Amino acid sequence: MDNQIYNILNDMSELLNVSQMKKLQEVLIKRLEEPEKEAETVTNMDYLEMFLTAKQIEGCSGRTIQYYKATIENFLQKIENPLRKVTTEMIRQYLSDYQAKNECSKVTVDNVRRNLSSFFSWLEEEDHILKSPVRRIHKIKTKTVVKEIISDENIETLRDNCEEKRDLAIIDILYSTGMRVGELVNLDINDLNFEERECVVYGKGDKERRVYFDARTKLHLQNYLESRKDTNSALFVSLNYPFDRLQISGVESRLRKLGRKLNIERIHPHKFRRTMATRAIDKGMPIEQVQRLLGHQQIDTTMQYAMVNQNNVKSSHRKFIA
């Protein structure tokens, strides 16, 4: 390495003055020698840990951190090269092998690509590598699937068959506010303003926003809280002692179990969020206001909900065209 630096300096000596030569020497040492020294002490897994720490500081949820870790760790276990020597072709081959081995959808493979892109972009921004090899691997094209919402009839069926006041309150607050399940389980009783029928939630990146619930939800929440015998500050707690704060998995399993019991397919918390957004758009709420209610950073994300209800398109066609 020293010989390479000497040869470059020697070749440039007739073109540069003394101060410029000194600067060139500093840059060459930094770019050629320091990365090699760093590579001797910092492993690929060390870089992954640094990346995950950075994402945690940025406010990513525990679930997101775990997903980053699982996908990137799997990739690092399949390669032997140090990260600065990973090429675009290596990543393309990995994604192709990953899809063939796991027989997964294009959506899943694109999620892996996005995670690797975030990792290598971070390495580039932090000057650990010169350029991200994922830059030239574009988004994998997938079919646009029209996602289902919960019908009014099924919402009423779910309500009528709740055996616990807590579960009825959960269904109504998810359906009324469109909040994320992670936001729901983090709510405390004191976060609710019953007079204004609103509450403050903390979304992705701990961003604060205000959401609103209807009179029916207010009534069911109050009935649930009056029935409780514990002193936990959490809004939703387990049904049995020691009445711990309800977790995301607890909400998901409870709704899934209720849906199966009633033969209603794929009942999960996010479906209530999608249903609320679709209803709001169908009734004429401006898309920017729906975006604010949902806590979306990009309006393109909210626009996906605007394409859900085909019946709305059909009735408009009959009204204006047929």
Side-chain angles (χ1 to χ4, degrees):
M1 186 60 67
D2 289 340
N3 287 337
Q4 283 184 321
I5 293 175
Y6 173 79
N7 290 335
I8 293 171
L9 292 172
N10 192 48
D11 291 342
M12 298 298 293
S13 60
E14 295 181 4
L15 302 173
L16 305 176
N17 59 37
V18 176
S19 62
Q20 289 172 329
M21 287 289 286
K22 285 183 179 179
K23 185 62 179 176
L24 177 59
Q25 185 177 19
E26 289 174 10
V27 171
L28 289 171
I29 291 172
K30 181 179 179 182
R31 291 296 183 184
L32 298 178
E33 288 191 346
E34 287 185 5
E36 289 208 341
K37 291 177 183 176
E38 184 182 31
E40 292 172 5
T41 57
V42 184
T43 67
N44 289 354
M45 290 301 180
D46 289 333
Y47 284 121
L48 173 57
E49 288 303 317
M50 287 189 278
F51 168 73
L52 296 176
T53 300
K55 288 297 172 185
Q56 196 168 13
I57 293 170
E58 287 174 15
C60 288
S61 68
R63 275 183 149 194
T64 302
I65 298 292
Q66 281 302 114
Y67 189 43
Y68 273 130
K69 183 176 182 189
T71 51
I72 299 169
E73 202 171 61
N74 189 65
F75 168 75
L76 295 179
Q77 288 169 351
K78 296 290 189 294
I79 63 165
E80 297 178 356
N81 301 56
L83 289 170
R84 58 195 177 85
K85 291 186 179 180
V86 172
T87 65
T88 301
E89 288 68 30
M90 288 179 189
I91 296 174
R92 281 201 182 107
Q93 187 61 52
Y94 170 76
L95 292 173
S96 176
D97 293 344
Y98 183 93
Q99 184 173 24
K101 180 181 177 182
N102 296 286
E103 297 181 351
C104 51
S105 67
K106 290 182 179 180
V107 173
T108 301
V109 177
D110 194 56
N111 287 338
V112 174
R113 178 201 63 82
R114 282 194 299 113
N115 283 1
L116 291 176
S117 180
S118 294
F119 178 49
F120 279 98
S121 294
W122 175 83
L123 289 170
E124 180 183 333
E125 289 166 7
E126 296 291 319
D127 292 326
H128 296 305
I129 61 174
L130 291 176
K131 182 181 176 182
S132 168
V134 193
R135 275 194 191 184
R136 290 188 287 122
I137 303 178
H138 303 297
K139 184 182 186 306
I140 298 169
K141 293 182 179 179
T142 57
K143 291 181 180 179
T144 302
V145 179
V146 177
K147 296 180 179 178
E148 295 178 352
I149 60 172
I150 308 172
S151 68
D152 293 342
E153 291 81 2
N154 283 340
I155 285 288
E156 290 304 323
T157 302
L158 289 168
R159 283 186 178 126
D160 292 343
N161 287 274
C162 281
E163 296 177 359
E164 299 291 340
K165 292 179 180 179
R166 183 200 66 179
D167 297 346
L168 181 56
I170 287 174
I171 285 174
D172 271 334
I173 199 168
L174 285 173
Y175 184 63
S176 185
T177 65
M179 67 174 66
R180 300 178 178 94
V181 63
E183 296 165 348
L184 176 133
V185 297
N186 285 328
L187 279 174
D188 288 333
I189 298 170
N190 291 337
D191 292 330
L192 298 178
N193 182 336
F194 283 112
E195 193 171 320
E196 297 295 330
R197 297 208 309 261
E198 64 183 32
C199 59
V200 173
V201 296
Y202 294 90
K204 293 183 177 179
D206 283 334
K207 290 184 179 175
E208 179 184 305
R209 79 177 188 284
R210 201 172 297 275
V211 296
Y212 309 94
F213 49 88
D214 57 23
R216 186 205 301 248
T217 303
K218 173 182 175 179
L219 179 63
H220 290 156
L221 283 167
Q222 288 176 328
N223 289 341
Y224 161 61
L225 292 174
E226 287 171 7
S227 71
R228 277 175 50 179
K229 308 299 182 189
D230 62 276
T231 57
N232 196 325
S233 62
L235 177 58
F236 293 109
V237 297
S238 60
L239 296 173
N240 301 314
Y241 184 83
F243 305 110
D244 291 328
R245 181 185 292 273
L246 198 60
Q247 301 299 309
I248 290 174
S249 58
V251 178
E252 290 174 337
S253 63
R254 195 73 178 180
L255 292 176
R256 188 165 54 245
K257 184 178 179 181
L258 182 60
R260 285 174 179 168
K261 175 185 172 184
L262 301 172
N263 292 319
I264 303 175
E265 290 187 1
R266 292 184 289 276
I267 293 298
H268 52 82
H270 195 77
K271 204 166 189 178
F272 289 89
R273 180 172 164 83
R274 190 182 303 128
T275 302
M276 186 282 282
T278 303
R279 285 172 61 234
I281 291 166
D282 283 348
K283 291 183 177 182
M285 180 181 283
I287 194 75
E288 296 83 5
Q289 292 180 19
V290 179
Q291 177 190 7
R292 177 161 299 216
L293 279 177
L294 297 176
H296 288 153
Q297 284 188 307
Q298 303 294 331
I299 200 164
D300 288 352
T301 309
T302 315
M303 284 299 294
Q304 294 174 15
Y305 294 96
M307 299 185 290
V308 173
N309 197 343
Q310 189 64 30
N311 290 330
N312 198 41
V313 177
K314 184 178 180 181
S315 61
S316 293
H317 181 272
R318 286 179 175 173
K319 179 178 179 181
F320 297 107
I321 308 298

